[in-house]
Structure formats: C-alpha cells, structure tokens
Amino acid sequence: MDDGYRNTNQVSDDYRYQDGNYDAPNDGYYHGGDEPAQEEDAQSDVTEGHDEDDEVYEGEYQGIPHPDDIKEKQKRAPAVADEYRDRADLMAERMEDEEQLAHQYENIIEECGHGRFQWTLFFVLGLALMADGVEVFVVGFVLPSAEKDMCLSSSNKGMLGLIVYLGMMVGAVLLGGLADKLGRKQCLIISLAINAAFAFLSSFVQGYGFFLFCRLISGLGIGGTLPIVFAYFSEFLSREKRGEHLSWLCMFWMIGGIYASAMAWSIIPHYGWGFSMGTKYHFHSWRVFVLVCALPCIASLVALKFMPESPRFLLEIGKHDEAWMILKQVHDTNMRAKGEPERVFTVSYIKTPKQVDEFIEIQSSTGTWYQRWLVRITTTLKQVWDNVLYCLTAQYRMNTLMLAVVWFTMALSYYGLIVWFPDMIRYLQDEAYDSRVKIFDEEEVSHFTFNFTLENQIHRNGEYRNDKFIGMKFKEVKFEDSLFEDCYFEDVTSSETFFENCTIISTVFYNTDLYEHKFINCRLINSTFMKEKEGCHIDFEEDNDFLIYLVSFLGSLSVLPGNIISALLMDKIGRIKMIGGSMLISAVCCFFLFFGNSESAMIGWQCLFCGASIAAWNALDVITVELYPTDKRATAFGILNGLCKFGAILGNSIFSSFVGITKVVPILLASSALVGGGLLALRLPETREQVLM
C-alpha cells in the first residue's frame, strides 16, 4: 500500500529547489500522470508513520509544499537582497524562470487532459464572443427604423454606424491591457457588465445624443472581450489542441451574426411589438430587438461567475497555491468525466517567475479614499502603458509591426466590403424602384378626397382645387410646379415626399408631418399649419429591409465551411500558410465583384468572400495569442484588435462613399490590401510547435 505513496513522492521530487533555483528532471521529460491507480484506502494509508503528536501541515497531502520547507531551501540561496541587484539581472532571471515555467506548464496541461472542463469554458467564452459578433450587426439592423424614430439625418446615421467601432477600438486596448494586470476573468466580467448595462439602457433612451453615448460605452465594453477571451481560453489548452480549438471558438462570432440576423428578421418588422406613453415616449419593435441582442452577453456574464481565473496568469503574478488548486480542479474534472476518478494530480510544485514589478500598496490610514484609488488607478495604467511599449521593444517590434499591417489590411477590406455589399444591394434596389416611377403631367383634380396611399409618383404642373387629403400616406412622392388651392390636409404621414416650386393658396395642414423643409421654393399664401406631428413615425415597411437581413444571415452562415476547414487544418498546415492563403484567395474573390450587376450576384459574391476570408481571421487570432508572453498577451492582442477596428472605421467610410459612383475603387482597394497583407503574413514566424511563454 505504500507503493502509491512512494511513486507520488518520486514525482514530487522531480521538480524541486536546488540552491534557491528551480531544477527540472535531467532527462528532458515531464514525470507525472503515469502512476498506477491507487486503492480506495490509499489516501488514508499514506499517513502511516506519523505520530499523533506530529504537527500535520494542512496542504501536505494536497501536494502543496510546506512553507517551512520552502523557507529552509531559500536559506541556502545566496543572501543578496533584490533591492541591491541590477534590474537587468532581475529581468534576466525572470525570463529564465518564464522559459522553465512555459515548458513545465505545457506538461501540466497535458497531464490535466482535454475534456469536460475545457468544453464548459469553451461554451461560456463562446457566448462572450457571440456577444461581440452581435454588437457589430446591431446598429446596422436598427438604423432603418431608428432614423425614422429619432429623425436622424444622413450624417447622424453615419456617426451612429461608426461610433460602435470607435468604442470597440478603445475598449480593446484599455481592457486588453488591464487583463494582463488584473486578471482574465475579472476584466472579462467588467467588459461584459459594461456592455450589458449600456446595451440595455440604449433600448429605452429616446434622444439621439444619449442613444449614441450608450452605444459608444456598450462598444467600449464589448471591445475588450475578443483579446481577453482568446488569451483566457488559450491558457487552458495544450500545444496540440490550441490551434484547432481556438478556431472552433471563432465559430461563435459567426453564430452571433446569425443570431442577430434572425432576431432582426423576426422582430423589427413587427412595428406593433412595443408601446407608447403619451406622444413623447415610444418603444418600437427595434428597441425590443436591441434588448434581445443583449441576452448572449448576460448569459456569458452569469456563467463566467462559476469559472476560475487563468492559472497561467496567477503563476505570472506569483500566486502559486491558487494556480495549483485550479489546475487540480481541471485535472479532477476531466478525469471524473473520463471515468478515471482515481487518477491523482501528481504535480506538487510549479515554477513561478521572479516578481520585479514595483507596486506599493497604500495603507488605509494614508490619505483619503479617493487619493488611494487615484494612486492605484494611475499605477495600474502606467503598468498597462509599459506593457504597450514593451510590445515595441527590439524583441517584439518586427512581429508587432508586421501583425499590425496584416490586421489593418484585413480589417480595411473585410469590414469595408461587408458594409459595401448591403449598400450596393440597396442601390440596385433603388435603381429598380426608380425605374418603376409613375409620372402624372398637367392633371386637374377638384372636389376629390384622397384617403389612400400614393407611392413612387411624380406629379408635374398639376392643379388641385378644393381637394381633401385625409388619413393618407405619401411615400416617395414629389409634386413639381403644381397648384394647391383651398385644399385640406389632415392626419397625413409622408416619407421622402417633397413639394418643389409649388403654389399653395388658402390651404390648411392639420396634424401632418409635412414640415417646412419639405416645401422647396414654394409660395405659401394664406395657408395654415396646425398641430404638426411631433417626432418621427414608423409607418412604412421597407421591402428591402427584409433582404438586408437575409443578406447578413447568408453572409454569416457562409463562413461555416471556412471555419470547419480552418479548425481541421490549423495544426496541420500552420498559421502562416493559413493566413497567406486565405487572404490571397479572398483577393481573387474581390475581382469577381466586377460581374456583380444584380442583387443575387452580389449576395453570391459576398458569401464567397466571407467564406474565403474567415480562415485568415481564425489564424490571426491564434498566432497573435502565441507570439507574445503571458504577461503581455492580452495587451498585444488588444492593441492589434484596436488597430483592426480603426481599419474598420476607415473601410466603412471609404467604401460607402463610392456606392453608386464606381465599383472600381472599392474592389481594387480591397484586393490590393489583401494581397499586400497576405504576402507580408508569410514572413511571420510559425508558432505551431511553440509552447505558450
């Protein structure tokens, strides 16, 4: 019965201090996890030989070394205080410690196995990534309705479309940097909480300015999820599983797009799904859609409370015992799921890097509470800034710059085109709609009551005398050089309707939305406007809105084959070939857009482009995680993802400005950016066989 105990001790001695330094076994292999299954009473048998009067350390049989043993070994170390050592020496020692930890941690994760714990975390973090995907689509789907509900001008619509990316850009850099100092789990909770709170609030606010602010802060919160999620999940994966399972995780971004498209399609057209409070407050169906889109974020936030912090992060900041307990939890969870609960976690000690950060905790008796918090915040932000600068040091500068170019070119072309596709489809629809316009010349109508909808018409040189326009709707109607005399307009709603060079005599407008700006160069003589409609009103169901939801749904669904292929091949052909090949194939797809002269053709080419480009996105996520050490990983990912969002803002602005003018510039710009970024990506180092530093 003592054999199991001796085997465990033998494994524990493989990792030990010698003269204050950590030594691994000389054979180059990790020793652990190979012991035979213990008998049921093995745990009680290992206590044989202890006298009742002996003091038993609480963690002795959990594998945690006794503090007295560690202190005794440290006494034999050279008695040179850290404050008297050169910082360069301390950093060199820390780097050596990190290299030893990287290889030991890889072996520990392999011993823990890949099973129930990783799959549980996979779905929890997948919901957070799904929330990020939803956020990208929300504003685009609500704009057609929100512009009528809040009377948005073209410039306001453009700002609302870009404000989310601006918030995500700031959030990626800020929250990604904080995740390397405060922890992955804590910062992800903060990120999701900010997004959920302000997304929920934005569905209720009525004013454009407040709605814009809420979406900005909501974007800032969700911007931190992408760098944190990938850094967090990668630190629970072994080298053989990392590329594949990080690629599977990317599928949740696609699921977020599908979810947003399906919810928009099923909720927004139902204008009755809402309520009003007087004439000032309106809660229309698009606001219900905004609420529903916050559900993945809330679900992830709740589930994340039951998940542990990354043990790799805890080891970096010297919290050995917490990290050990979490790794034991991972091991035991996976072993129980595999039907091997008797398997013992054999690791007793894990290397922790030398701690060199200069952080002084302020005592509660020092200064006021806000002074203490101010010092803590400024100190943390300084550490984040130091991490940002570290990514540009000689060791990482070239990789960072090349990755920055690849991320930027990919974002410029991808986000530019996914906005350009729907705009081009709308343009083609508008052209077809305008071609069906009905023109009425020199018509004379008198003593007639209009109580039906007029749509897509132009009336020129007409005369309307003693006519009544009651309870009707104008949609895309223009009156040019016409005369209205002794007419009466009541309860009229209009969309894209104008009176140009008209003469209006002794006419009454009661409870209409025919505002002053709709009368262009008109003469109003003895005419009266009474009780004008306040605010904007959603009265028309746009047929092309349904097609836009369908286009986004198909575009999101089209990346499924690319996701599957990239996940299966990521660890076989490598990250570099995946990025370069995907970007070059996507560039070729761009040239086919010259032949997209119909709605169906544009939809088809969009699906092809999205399906080809997703592999590059997945490989970029993986290689960014693997190129940087643990204490800089989320920071570097946040910087590059923030640059990605900046590229998205430029792409949206540039590509949308050419809609209806020319297709040549967007296509050439996207394809050249993809070719340049793809060729540069081939010069990045391959990380397929690399352990996480």
Side-chain angles (χ1 to χ4, degrees):
M1 286 187 295
D2 292 336
D3 292 342
Y5 179 58
R6 286 195 295 269
N7 287 340
T8 304
N9 285 341
Q10 179 182 354
V11 174
S12 302
D13 291 339
D14 286 337
Y15 296 94
R16 60 189 183 274
Y17 271 100
Q18 289 186 359
D19 297 332
N21 293 320
Y22 170 79
D23 281 341
N26 294 328
D27 56 6
Y29 294 94
Y30 173 69
H31 296 261
D34 297 331
E35 76 287 350
Q38 293 180 336
E39 299 177 4
E40 292 181 1
D41 56 350
Q43 292 184 352
S44 62
D45 291 339
V46 297
T47 61
E48 291 185 12
H50 286 274
D51 295 331
E52 293 181 359
D53 297 332
D54 288 347
E55 181 181 359
V56 179
Y57 168 52
E58 182 181 17
E60 181 175 354
Y61 301 118
Q62 295 178 347
I64 303 177
H66 196 289
D68 293 339
D69 296 338
I70 297 177
K71 291 178 182 177
E72 183 65 27
K73 294 174 183 177
Q74 289 176 339
K75 288 179 181 178
R76 297 196 297 268
V80 179
D82 287 345
E83 57 264 28
Y84 297 109
R85 297 176 62 186
D86 185 78
R87 183 174 177 83
D89 293 339
L90 294 174
M91 291 300 297
E93 182 180 342
R94 177 179 173 84
M95 291 180 66
E96 183 179 350
D97 291 346
E98 287 178 342
E99 186 172 353
Q100 295 177 13
L101 170 60
H103 290 87
Q104 185 191 5
Y105 189 83
E106 178 67 29
N107 293 326
I108 293 172
I109 290 295
E110 289 181 0
E111 179 181 342
C112 291
H114 189 94
R116 177 180 294 172
F117 180 89
Q118 280 86 355
W119 284 112
T120 303
L121 184 63
F122 173 82
F123 286 106
V124 172
L125 297 181
L127 287 172
L129 200 59
M130 180 178 170
D132 181 88
V134 169
E135 189 74 16
V136 173
F137 290 94
V138 167
V139 172
F141 288 151
V142 304
L143 265 180
S145 300
E147 67 174 308
K148 302 169 188 174
D149 200 17
M150 294 190 288
C151 305
L152 300 183
S153 63
S154 297
S155 59
N156 286 342
K157 286 193 298 180
M159 178 58 69
L160 188 56
L162 297 178
I163 199 70
V164 174
Y165 288 113
L166 182 62
M168 294 173 78
M169 180 178 70
V170 176
V173 178
L174 179 61
L175 293 169
L178 288 175
D180 283 331
K181 292 301 175 185
L182 305 181
R184 281 52 165 135
K185 177 183 174 180
Q186 182 177 349
C187 283
L188 186 56
I189 288 175
I190 294 172
S191 176
L192 293 172
I194 292 173
N195 175 254
F198 282 90
F200 181 84
L201 186 60
S202 69
S203 67
F204 291 96
V205 299
Q206 295 291 302
Y208 167 74
F210 200 10
F211 182 78
L212 195 69
F213 174 77
C214 288
R215 297 316 302 184
L216 171 66
I217 305 302
S218 173
L220 185 145
I222 205 65
T225 58
L226 201 65
I228 300 174
V229 161
F230 281 99
Y232 192 4
F233 191 51
S234 68
E235 291 163 1
F236 285 95
L237 299 174
S238 64
R239 176 171 46 195
E240 288 76 14
K241 301 284 187 179
R242 193 181 308 126
E244 177 185 351
H245 287 271
L246 286 177
S247 298
W248 289 126
L249 185 65
C250 293
M251 290 186 65
F252 280 93
W253 199 93
M254 171 203 73
I255 295 173
I258 294 175
Y259 174 82
S261 304
M263 291 300 101
W265 200 347
S266 58
I267 294 176
I268 294 179
H270 298 280
Y271 299 131
W273 289 15
F275 60 89
S276 297
M277 297 175 63
T279 59
K280 297 291 185 181
Y281 190 87
H282 303 281
F283 193 90
H284 292 295
S285 58
W286 69 267
R287 297 182 182 274
V288 178
F289 166 71
V290 173
L291 273 180
V292 171
C293 284
L295 294 181
C297 179
I298 296 173
S300 178
L301 184 61
V302 173
L304 195 62
K305 299 290 289 184
F306 301 96
M307 303 308 298
E309 179 58 86
S310 164
R312 187 69 171 86
F313 167 78
L314 293 174
L315 290 170
E316 284 292 324
I317 60 176
K319 295 185 177 181
H320 172 275
D321 291 358
E322 291 182 40
W324 186 91
M325 292 298 293
I326 292 171
L327 287 169
K328 185 176 186 302
Q329 175 190 350
V330 176
H331 174 275
D332 293 348
T333 301
N334 290 340
M335 293 305 111
R336 284 195 299 268
K338 292 178 180 179
E340 302 177 10
E342 71 280 359
R343 290 284 295 272
V344 177
F345 186 52
T346 60
V347 178
S348 62
Y349 181 72
I350 310 172
K351 184 67 176 178
T352 54
K354 186 74 174 178
Q355 302 301 304
V356 295
D357 281 344
E358 300 176 359
F359 184 83
I360 301 174
E361 180 65 29
I362 300 178
Q363 300 299 320
S364 59
S365 59
T366 305
T368 59
W369 66 269
Y370 64 85
Q371 288 176 327
R372 294 192 296 272
W373 274 104
L374 181 62
V375 172
R376 290 190 183 101
I377 292 172
T378 53
T379 302
T380 303
L381 291 178
K382 181 181 181 302
Q383 292 175 332
V384 171
W385 178 246
D386 290 341
N387 268 4
V388 172
L389 296 180
Y390 185 84
C391 295
L392 297 175
T393 56
Q395 183 179 1
Y396 296 102
R397 183 184 301 124
M398 189 55 64
N399 288 342
T400 301
L401 293 178
M402 286 194 293
L403 273 175
V405 174
V406 177
W407 273 92
F408 180 81
T409 54
M410 191 70 197
L412 180 72
S413 56
Y414 179 83
Y415 286 102
L417 284 177
I418 65 169
V419 170
W420 185 74
F421 282 124
D423 286 349
M424 278 298 298
I425 291 173
R426 286 193 185 96
Y427 174 74
L428 293 173
Q429 288 178 328
D430 290 341
E431 278 194 328
Y433 185 81
D434 292 341
S435 67
R436 297 192 299 269
V437 66
K438 297 178 181 178
I439 301 176
F440 299 86
D441 285 316
E442 299 182 353
E443 62 178 350
E444 296 183 6
V445 182
S446 62
H447 297 90
F448 184 81
T449 299
F450 293 85
N451 56 5
F452 47 86
T453 299
L454 297 182
E455 180 179 356
N456 197 20
Q457 298 177 2
I458 297 177
H459 298 263
R460 294 171 178 161
N461 301 309
E463 294 183 4
Y464 306 88
R465 291 184 171 89
N466 295 300
D467 293 321
K468 294 182 179 180
F469 300 81
I470 299 177
M472 65 169 301
K473 299 175 182 178
F474 291 111
K475 181 180 179 183
E476 300 278 352
V477 178
K478 181 183 288 188
F479 293 94
E480 298 178 353
D481 302 305
S482 298
L483 171 67
F484 293 84
E485 185 175 358
D486 295 321
C487 294
Y488 181 75
F489 291 78
E490 180 180 351
D491 194 22
V492 173
T493 304
S494 63
S495 172
E496 298 297 323
T497 296
F498 299 95
F499 297 80
E500 188 172 343
N501 298 320
C502 294
T503 301
I504 303 172
I505 304 173
S506 301
T507 297
V508 176
F509 297 86
Y510 179 82
N511 191 30
T512 72
D513 64 354
L514 298 174
Y515 306 121
E516 183 179 351
H517 72 274
K518 297 189 176 183
F519 296 91
I520 304 172
N521 298 325
C522 293
R523 295 175 60 207
L524 297 170
I525 303 173
N526 296 327
S527 296
T528 305
F529 291 84
M530 302 171 59
K531 195 182 176 181
E532 290 185 340
K533 289 182 181 292
E534 295 182 359
C536 298
H537 306 273
I538 301 176
D539 294 286
F540 300 105
E541 293 189 9
E542 300 288 348
D543 294 334
N544 61 353
D545 289 347
F546 292 96
L547 186 59
I548 298 306
Y549 304 148
L550 177 62
V551 169
S552 299
F553 178 85
L554 293 176
S556 299
L557 190 62
S558 66
V559 305
L560 178 60
N563 260 317
I564 296 174
I565 293 172
S566 66
L568 296 178
L569 298 181
M570 187 69 70
D571 291 320
K572 292 182 173 60
I573 68 174
R575 290 72 162 125
I576 303 306
K577 293 179 182 178
M578 186 72 72
I579 298 173
S582 176
M583 293 183 74
L584 293 176
I585 294 174
S586 300
V588 174
C589 293
C590 288
F591 283 101
F592 289 104
L593 296 176
F594 282 113
F595 305 102
N597 297 319
S598 65
E599 296 173 19
S600 57
M602 293 299 295
I603 294 173
W605 296 129
Q606 178 192 10
C607 293
L608 182 62
F609 174 78
C610 292
S613 61
I614 191 62
W617 282 119
N618 294 354
L620 265 178
D621 294 332
V622 175
I623 196 173
T624 303
V625 162
E626 295 175 334
L627 273 178
Y628 295 92
T630 300
D631 59 340
K632 310 293 187 298
R633 182 169 298 125
T635 301
F637 204 120
I639 295 170
L640 295 169
N641 193 247
L643 187 64
C644 166
K645 296 304 183 287
F646 178 69
I649 293 173
L650 283 183
N652 287 354
S653 303
I654 294 173
F655 283 55
S656 60
S657 63
F658 288 98
V659 173
I661 299 175
T662 179
K663 292 194 295 184
V664 175
V665 174
I667 292 173
L668 290 181
L669 180 59
S671 57
S672 58
L674 288 168
V675 170
L679 293 176
L680 184 63
L682 297 176
R683 304 197 49 151
L684 287 166
E686 180 58 70
T687 57
R688 181 173 33 167
E689 302 296 331
Q690 182 175 307
V691 297
L692 281 183
M693 294 300 296

